[in-house]
Amino acid sequence: VPAVYSLDGLLAFGLLLVCTCAYARKVPRLKAWLLGEKRGVWGVFYKAAVIGTRLHAPVAAACVLMALYVLVGK
């Protein structure tokens, strides 16, 4: 079964998306190119960037917990 179809794979994908978009928001060229639209399909990246910057502490804790789960729990 591919990892995207499992719950832990979906959570890892979501965390990586939020972290990547939050990083892209800090880079001016990437912010204008990737995060310019607030609606539609490209708006998902904008919303993920907003979640990553506003909730940076819980997102970082979730990344650490997911890393521990992948390394130790699986």
Side-chain angles (χ1 to χ4, degrees), residues 11-41:
L11 288 173
F13 175 77
L15 282 172
L16 287 172
L17 178 72
V18 168
C19 292
T20 303
C21 289
Y23 174 75
R25 192 171 183 179
K26 300 291 183 185
V27 180
R29 287 190 182 188
L30 287 177
K31 182 179 179 181
W33 179 68
L34 186 64
L35 307 171
E37 293 291 325
K38 294 183 181 180
R39 295 182 182 211
V41 176

Side-chain angles (χ1 to χ4, degrees), residues 2-73:
V4 178
Y5 297 121
S6 63
L7 181 62
D8 55 342
L10 188 64
L11 288 173
F13 175 77
L15 282 172
L16 287 172
L17 178 72
V18 168
C19 292
T20 303
C21 289
Y23 174 75
R25 192 171 183 179
K26 300 291 183 185
V27 180
R29 287 190 182 188
L30 287 177
K31 182 179 179 181
W33 179 68
L34 186 64
L35 307 171
E37 293 291 325
K38 294 183 181 180
R39 295 182 182 211
V41 176
W42 291 102
V44 173
F45 297 116
Y46 173 79
K47 290 173 185 173
V50 170
I51 290 170
T53 53
R54 290 187 183 172
L55 299 174
H56 61 276
V59 169
C63 287
V64 169
L65 289 174
M66 181 56 78
L68 289 174
Y69 172 73
V70 168
L71 290 174
V72 178

